[in-house]
Amino acid sequence: RKEVEQDPGPFNVPEGATVAFNCTYSNSASQSFFWYRQDCRKEPKLLMSVYSSGNEDGRFTAQLNRASQYISLLIRDSKLSDSATYLCVSLNQAGTALIFGKGTTLSVSS
Amino acid sequence: DADVTQTPRNRITKTGKRIMLECSQTKGHDRMYWYRQDPGLGLRLIYYSFDVKDINKGEISDGYSVSRQAQAKFSLSLESAIPNQTALYFCATSDPRQGNTGELFFGEGSRLTVL
């Protein structure tokens, strides 16, 4: 089982839609979870950390479910500029480095 | 200027050639990483280093070697390049002491093509 797994998509949604991405991780001891965003042909950049109690940053909400070992990202009121690949990230089994999921591609259309 | 700089940005080479990708950073971070990205496979960790005297293998270290010449420099070498090493390579840094534990700061990537 890959350490971090996520649905590759693509997710094609209209502007204004709400979209959710899920991701599962295998290291039950991991304390670090993140969502990164990667634009086409660019480097990944941190979108937001994921905290145990869930957290929100504007239109973006991240949730963590430790019992089921999954994290989610909810995007409300999608904008054209949200079109990108979203990468789920957790610690590797050794707890020493970040491991990335393959990414979920989002395309927002007008 | 970028905080994490990779050179070269693009390189085309032939099978069997030795290639070095270089990474330098001005962020003062102790931790540095090399990832490769392939379509459909995402980002995979090759090697990482927590300080100058520390080198660790990642998921896919076979066929690669690294050198941490200084806190600010971390180079990736392909001793004898092969076509399946064609990929986009990213260098990254992090410093958990500076707040957001685990935030990685990436360079702009080095696109390597092995013919």
Side-chain angles (χ1 to χ4, degrees):
Chain A
R1 177 185 173 189
K2 189 164 170 53
E3 295 193 47
V4 178
E5 295 193 48
Q6 54 183 131
D7 182 347
F11 285 67
N12 299 302
V13 303
E15 275 186 290
T18 295
V19 61
F21 308 139
N22 291 324
C23 163
T24 59
Y25 61 93
S26 63
N27 181 6
S28 60
S30 179
Q31 299 293 320
S32 299
F33 307 94
F34 309 89
W35 284 100
Y36 276 69
R37 170 190 169 131
Q38 185 175 24
D39 294 303
C40 188
R41 302 175 191 258
K42 298 287 189 179
E43 71 274 23
K45 293 184 179 180
L46 179 67
L47 176 67
M48 60 194 303
S49 302
V50 184
Y51 301 120
S52 297
S53 56
N55 48 298
E56 189 174 302
D57 183 2
R59 297 181 293 108
F60 298 86
T61 301
Q63 296 279 354
L64 169 64
N65 183 321
R66 286 195 179 277
S68 301
Q69 291 182 219
Y70 81 77
I71 66 174
S72 64
L73 176 68
L74 182 76
I75 305 175
R76 291 182 300 279
D77 189 23
S78 298
K79 310 292 185 189
L80 294 175
S81 58
D82 293 334
S83 296
T85 296
Y86 292 84
L87 304 169
C88 173
V89 186
S90 180
L91 278 181
N92 62 357
Q93 287 288 356
T96 54
L98 294 183
I99 296 296
F100 288 74
K102 295 181 182 179
T104 298
T105 300
L106 172 66
S107 178
V108 182
S109 57
S110 58
Chain B
D1 288 341
D3 293 325
V4 183
T5 303
Q6 293 182 228
T7 56
R9 294 291 312 283
N10 288 283
R11 182 72 183 269
I12 299 173
T13 191
K14 294 182 179 180
T15 297
K17 294 291 187 182
R18 183 177 188 273
I19 295 296
M20 178 181 286
L21 305 180
E22 299 187 355
C23 178
S24 63
Q25 52 117 345
T26 58
K27 300 187 76 66
H29 290 170
D30 287 328
R31 301 184 176 188
M32 298 187 74
Y33 310 79
W34 276 105
Y35 288 86
R36 67 176 277 179
Q37 187 171 37
D38 300 90
L41 294 178
L43 279 157
R44 292 181 291 167
L45 182 62
I46 306 172
Y47 270 98
Y48 58 103
S49 168
F50 284 178
D51 65 42
V52 175
K53 298 179 181 178
D54 177 75
I55 299 290
N56 303 281
K57 292 183 177 181
E59 302 171 74
I60 53 163
S61 58
D62 288 348
Y64 301 95
S65 62
V66 291
S67 173
R68 185 79 184 268
Q69 302 95 321
Q71 187 207 36
K73 296 184 182 296
F74 191 37
S75 60
L76 176 71
S77 294
L78 289 68
E79 295 301 325
S80 180
I82 55 177
N84 76 2
Q85 291 178 312
T86 293
L88 180 59
Y89 291 84
F90 284 106
C91 174
T93 74
S94 74
D95 185 358
R97 295 173 300 177
Q98 291 183 7
N100 200 340
T101 302
E103 179 173 4
L104 291 173
F105 296 87
F106 285 86
E108 294 180 305
S110 296
R111 185 167 296 281
L112 176 65
T113 302
V114 184
L115 301 176

